[in-house]
Amino acid sequence: MIAPCDFPGWLADLRDQADVLAPAGFFVLVPALMVSATRDALRGSGIAYGSQDCAAEAEGITGETPASHLAESGCSYVMIGHHQRRQALGEDDHTAARKATRAAEAGLTPVLCTGETDRIAPADAAERVTTQVRPVLGQLPAAAPLVVLYEPLWASRERRAADADHVAVVERALEVLSTGRPGPVRILYGGAVAAGTWKAMRQGTRLDGLALGRAGIDAAVRRTVIEEILADPPVRGEAERAPLP
């Protein structure tokens, strides 16, 4: 998520919507510098929060934020493997696996970003995404929870969410990949999410929620999307499974 210019005002808006956000299991991921402000603003609201990245190494590296520090600051989640970090910094699936492991060791739930860059056939997209997830599952402790965020970049560029049929193929491949794993794997969709996206995705998918991205900045859109999810909750039904910005 791109942090809004009026960050304190945005946090205040989130708190004002806590009556809807908290029951939906909403959580927010912010830059590490803004974790403390987020903690203070959302304290007691029932809204969870986390950071947009963490260090890949167990030992501290100057300028990097260890997962243990995020946990000490009250974070519950940390984003791993965002496409911008992959493209700009050369991070790969094995970097993501190390970061996910550090997150789990600190008691955080990693939110693994996945997805294809260009529009391709659903089966090819599923292969690409499972290739991204497999190294993480290979290193992550078996009982540790994982959130997989499927975000096809072409959908964001086209400003139109992927079809539910396309997402369903990717989702089913992820379910097969994680079958038999004791730790829960939740699957979210992100990419041009807007009002009506959840209703469309309910036709043929078993998603656990949505990632709002830019839509999470707009209070009216945010409320609309979350109310749609609350009105027709995920079929797997755990209260924690819901949208994040």
Side-chain angles (χ1 to χ4, degrees), residues 116 122 125-126 150-152 154-155 161-174 187-191 197 200-201 203-207 209-210:
E116 68 276 18
Y150 172 51
E151 186 176 21
W154 53 266
D163 294 337
D165 290 344
H166 179 103
V167 177
V169 173
V170 175
E171 178 196 9
R172 288 166 190 155
L174 289 170
I187 305 170
L188 308 181
Y189 170 80
T197 299
M201 291 296 169
Q203 306 302 313
T205 76
R206 286 165 40 88
L207 291 169
L210 298 175

Side-chain angles (χ1 to χ4, degrees), residues 10 57 72 108 110 112-113 126 184 198 203 205 210 214 230 242:
W10 178 70
E57 308 304 330
E72 291 169 2
L108 303 177
L112 175 63
C113 298
W198 181 249
Q203 306 302 313
T205 76
L210 298 175
R214 293 178 184 273
L230 288 173

Side-chain angles (χ1 to χ4, degrees), residues 15-235:
R15 191 175 184 91
D16 288 343
Q17 291 184 338
D19 61 321
V20 175
L21 302 183
F26 182 96
F27 62 96
V28 58
L29 301 174
V30 301
L33 186 63
M34 298 175 177
V35 164
S36 295
T38 302
R39 175 194 60 205
D40 295 343
L42 299 182
R43 183 179 285 116
S45 68
I47 300 173
Y49 60 92
S51 177
Q52 294 179 349
D53 189 50
C54 72
E57 308 304 330
E59 298 297 329
I61 296 177
T62 301
E64 292 289 297
T65 304
S68 58
H69 290 190
L70 297 174
E72 291 169 2
S73 297
C75 289
S76 299
Y77 298 89
V78 61
M79 181 181 288
I80 303 295
H82 192 273
H83 72 89
Q84 291 177 331
R85 299 190 65 86
R86 292 175 185 266
Q87 293 174 357
L89 302 178
E91 295 187 359
D92 59 16
D93 299 333
H94 298 289
T95 307
R98 295 202 308 275
K99 290 187 176 186
T101 302
R102 300 289 86 76
E105 290 170 348
L108 303 177
T109 297
V111 180
L112 175 63
C113 298
T114 67
E116 68 276 18
T117 301
D118 300 313
R119 185 189 284 270
I120 54 179
D124 293 332
E127 182 178 358
R128 174 66 183 128
V129 170
T130 53
T131 297
Q132 293 171 325
V133 174
R134 192 171 287 108
V136 174
L137 291 180
Q139 289 194 32
L140 198 66
L146 174 67
V147 175
V148 178
L149 168 53
Y150 172 51
E151 186 176 21
L153 300 187
W154 53 266
S156 298
R157 287 199 304 265
E158 296 177 12
R159 298 186 179 181
R160 181 178 178 180
D163 294 337
D165 290 344
H166 179 103
V167 177
V169 173
V170 175
E171 178 196 9
R172 288 166 190 155
L174 289 170
E175 289 177 340
V176 170
L177 183 65
S178 58
T179 295
R181 185 176 186 273
V185 176
R186 290 181 278 152
I187 305 170
L188 308 181
Y189 170 80
V193 169
T197 299
W198 181 249
K199 292 181 180 179
M201 291 296 169
R202 296 294 281 129
Q203 306 302 313
T205 76
R206 286 165 40 88
L207 291 169
D208 297 303
L210 298 175
L212 301 187
R214 293 178 184 273
I217 297 176
D218 186 292
V221 175
R222 184 172 61 237
R223 177 176 284 274
T224 297
V225 172
I226 293 169
E227 287 179 343
E228 289 175 356
I229 293 177
L230 288 173
D232 187 10
V235 294

